Amino acid sequence: MSSANISTMDIQLQNQTKSNNVFAYITGLALDKGSHVCVMKADGKTPYYPDSPSEILQPLSENCSIKLGAPGSTITVTIPQLAGGRIWFSVDNELKFLVNPGPALVEPSISNPSDPNINLTWDFCEFTFANNSIYANISYVDFVSLSVSLNFTPKDGAEQKVLGLKPDGLQHVVDGLRAQDNKDWSKLVYEADGKPLRVMSPNNGIVMAGGNLFKGYYEPYVDQVWDKYSKCPLAIDTHAQWGKVDGHCGKGQLEFPGIGEFSKPSTADIFGCSSGPFANNAGALGPLTARISAGFNRTTLLNEQVHPNAEKVDDYYKLPVTNHYARLVHEANIDGRGYAFPYDDVPAGGGGVDQSGFVNGNPKSLLVTIG
């Protein structure tokens, strides 16, 4: 292997569940193969590049279930350079991946009731490995279920850890949502065999309910924000070449002169961060979308300050109308970290722990633990 560009990387996978039947799956786009769909075979060492089938929903032609050892044991897998990668874990049952023409991988879904994996116990972490560097994170953007933790040692620099869920983490989120006066929150809990299997994010809950959850939920807060910034400027630091910019509400729009404008977002726009006024991420609208949608999810936009520089993690989710899923997910993690909505990586300038739960650098070792 050339030191100029490492083409493969070893990753250790550890089973800390109580099950002897735990399976891993590794998927991504192979950068050395023109970003072709890649799934690692059952040996954890051999890449499999599915051909494009002539019909949709075709089975994989290779066994790609990587069996982990008994509780407490660790195995080593070897991956090529992958973008958009995921390491999936399932407990007690194997997952079913399918292939569509393209080829395009049909991954397990928690928002499709007909998905063959819908009532199975599974979770994943995300990564990209390229140019001698890996970026990996645990994600709750779609749902929360199992604890996945990361222990990364770079070739230079200190060890980095993301600790995952507390032992009762899932139940903490379930109980917290069921305690809300707005009963739509409790509808995010998905049960199988009479017990909570996972909790969906509000965004996925809205999809599952055909758009019939949280109608009008954020709108009173949006009106307060619009009213406030019709009287004073909304100051946002883009942390990019546009620097600090001031917006002002007028004619129903939040206007940033010379840059662009935002109409009032709906509740679904806020939870999803990518529709309505947040659909256009060209130029400065990208960092503005990230900061404004994060401010709505965290309900910090009514504070008179430069956003997000003067915000503090301790000030997040303090209002009754807020993203209670994100609040509870952070409470349920040992170190408070893990993506709970798409722009949860927007930093708090006023100090406090990074929210997004990532590790990155030139890899010496990476240990990913399930359970």
Side-chain angles (χ1 to χ4, degrees):
M1 282 189 298
S2 166
S3 60
N5 193 22
I6 305 168
S7 60
T8 64
M9 174 184 172
D10 289 347
I11 299 176
Q12 293 180 298
L13 306 179
Q14 187 174 83
N15 177 12
Q16 285 293 355
T17 74
K18 296 175 181 176
S19 174
N20 283 300
N21 289 303
V22 179
F23 302 91
Y25 304 83
I26 303 175
T27 64
L29 302 176
L31 295 174
D32 296 333
K33 297 280 186 181
S35 294
H36 195 288
V37 170
C38 177
V39 189
M40 299 305 297
K41 293 185 186 181
D43 63 1
K45 311 281 185 185
T46 310
Y48 158 53
Y49 306 105
D51 292 327
S52 179
S54 57
E55 298 178 23
I56 65 168
L57 302 179
Q58 296 304 298
L60 302 181
S61 60
E62 296 282 350
N63 177 8
C64 295
S65 295
I66 303 168
K67 191 155 188 344
L68 272 61
S73 66
T74 303
I75 69 166
T76 300
V77 297
T78 304
I79 63 166
Q81 296 191 89
L82 295 173
R86 284 183 173 180
I87 301 173
W88 310 71
F89 296 99
S90 63
V91 179
D92 295 331
N93 294 280
E94 295 183 59
L95 295 178
K96 181 174 283 188
F97 290 78
L98 301 168
V99 186
N100 278 347
L105 194 65
V106 183
E107 300 175 337
S109 169
I110 56 100
S111 58
N112 175 8
S114 64
D115 188 281
N117 309 286
I118 193 78
N119 289 323
L120 304 183
T121 302
W122 53 272
D123 218 315
F124 60 81
C125 65
E126 301 175 322
F127 72 91
T128 287
F129 168 53
N131 301 320
N132 298 352
S133 182
I134 189 164
Y135 173 96
N137 68 273
I138 59 175
S139 176
Y140 305 108
V141 168
D142 291 331
F143 66 97
V144 55
S145 180
L146 300 170
S147 178
V148 180
S149 59
L150 309 174
N151 190 327
F152 176 66
T153 304
K155 287 196 171 161
D156 41 27
E159 182 181 49
Q160 303 170 30
K161 293 184 178 183
V162 184
L163 300 180
L165 289 171
K166 299 172 184 176
D168 64 345
L170 177 61
Q171 194 62 47
H172 176 82
V173 180
V174 170
D175 293 344
L177 293 181
R178 286 177 170 168
Q180 295 301 309
D181 291 337
N182 183 322
K183 295 310 172 189
D184 281 358
W185 287 108
S186 63
K187 295 174 184 174
L188 300 178
V189 180
Y190 185 87
E191 292 192 336
D193 298 325
K195 63 182 182 187
L197 182 64
R198 67 181 72 93
V199 176
M200 294 177 287
S201 67
N203 193 39
N204 274 300
I206 290 170
V207 171
M208 278 282 269
N212 292 316
L213 280 189
F214 300 109
K215 285 196 167 179
Y217 177 75
Y218 259 111
E219 276 72 355
Y221 180 74
V222 173
D223 289 343
Q224 285 181 279
V225 170
W226 249 244
D227 181 62
K228 179 180 181 66
Y229 295 111
S230 67
K231 303 180 180 91
C232 66
L234 170 61
I236 294 182
D237 193 333
T238 63
H239 298 131
Q241 65 261 40
W242 304 278
K244 185 175 82 70
V245 297
D246 287 342
H248 193 271
C249 291
K251 299 177 183 175
Q253 304 286 311
L254 172 57
E255 301 169 343
F256 292 88
I259 292 175
E261 59 188 24
F262 294 83
S263 57
K264 285 185 176 182
S266 69
T267 295
D269 296 334
I270 290 169
F271 284 141
C273 302
S274 61
S275 59
F278 303 136
N280 183 358
N281 281 325
L285 292 177
L288 286 175
T289 285
R291 283 147 184 77
I292 293 168
S293 59
F296 274 120
N297 277 279
R298 297 164 174 169
T299 47
T300 53
L301 287 176
L302 292 177
N303 307 333
E304 285 190 36
Q305 55 197 18
V306 179
H307 301 272
N309 296 3
E311 295 178 14
K312 296 181 175 62
V313 171
D314 290 346
D315 294 334
Y316 293 172
Y317 313 114
K318 292 300 187 190
L319 298 183
V321 172
T322 194
N323 187 336
H324 290 291
Y325 170 84
R327 172 179 66 81
L328 290 160
V329 163
H330 286 296
E331 290 175 4
N333 276 267
I334 296 168
D335 53 6
R337 300 171 71 204
Y339 269 89
F341 63 90
Y343 288 115
D344 212 0
D345 56 345
V346 169
V353 67
D354 157 70
Q355 296 291 283
S356 62
F358 73 92
V359 299
N360 75 311
N362 186 340
K364 181 178 179 184
S365 67
L366 175 63
L367 171 67
V368 183
T369 303
I370 180 69

